[in-house]
Amino acid sequence: MKKIIISILLLGTIMTGCSSDGDSATFTSSITIDGEQFIPSEITAYPDNQSFENATVFVLGSNSSSPENQNIMVVKVNYPLSQADASGTYLINGVQGTGNYTRFTNSYLLYNGSVTVEDLGNNRYTLTFNSVKGNQGNGSTEVITINGTISGKFQESN
């Protein structure tokens, strides 16, 4: 009986210790929003190409069962058809880059700063947020500031 239990434990350890690169959804995040750490549980990147320009959309979100803990950030960068990939620094000005951040019931339109994208291939990216600002609009004076980096394998949207 003891040998069976040890065999099962060893097999379980071997099976969980082995994974391919395709199974790994790991990433690192040092993103802060107004000084508070933002670590999404899901990251996705997908193309949104048009006939006149290429674009990549990045979605960073938390998957929480509690609505007050749900956060999602969407950033879209636009680049010329002649550019091979999304690598570059994009001003968040409505032309090169756009985005929004939603925290529970508060939504912020991103309007200033820049995002640097490093396209590492195979849906792996490093995004660096450089003093990206956002506000709620409608006369609100509340401004958020996003800084930091996220790097890793992004999921592909269906």
Side-chain angles (χ1 to χ4, degrees):
M1 182 69 170
K2 192 182 224 181
K3 288 182 180 181
I4 294 173
I5 292 173
I6 291 173
S7 296
I8 291 172
L9 289 174
L10 283 174
L11 183 61
T13 302
I14 291 168
M15 295 302 286
T16 58
C18 298
S19 69
S20 70
D21 187 42
D23 295 336
S24 176
T26 60
F27 58 89
T28 59
S29 176
S30 67
I31 297 174
T32 61
I33 300 174
D34 284 344
E36 291 183 32
Q37 194 167 23
F38 172 67
I39 301 177
S41 56
E42 295 179 1
I43 57 176
T44 305
Y46 60 91
D48 186 25
N49 299 330
Q50 307 293 321
S51 62
F52 54 91
E53 69 183 357
N54 288 328
T56 301
V57 178
F58 300 96
V59 181
L60 316 175
S62 65
N63 189 10
S64 173
S65 59
S66 173
E68 52 275 346
N69 291 328
Q70 290 183 345
N71 298 299
I72 189 166
M73 185 182 329
V74 179
V75 175
K76 178 179 178 180
V77 296
N78 303 306
Y79 52 96
L81 292 172
S82 59
Q83 191 170 315
D85 61 34
S87 295
T89 298
Y90 303 90
L91 298 176
I92 302 299
N93 60 7
V95 178
Q96 293 181 358
T98 60
N100 61 61
Y101 169 69
T102 302
R103 176 177 45 213
F104 190 39
T105 59
N106 297 320
S107 187
Y108 302 85
L109 179 64
L110 305 182
Y111 68 90
N112 199 349
S114 66
V115 174
T116 301
V117 176
E118 186 178 0
D119 188 334
L120 304 170
N122 195 28
N123 233 46
R124 291 186 175 280
Y125 296 92
T126 297
L127 304 179
T128 303
F129 293 84
N130 307 297
S131 297
V132 174
K133 306 284 187 199
N135 82 5
Q136 294 179 312
N138 297 325
S140 173
T141 57
E142 181 183 3
V143 175
I144 62 168
T145 303
I146 304 168
N147 284 295
T149 299
I150 188 163
S151 185
K153 174 88 172 162
F154 283 62
Q155 297 174 21
E156 295 181 52
S157 179
N158 296 356

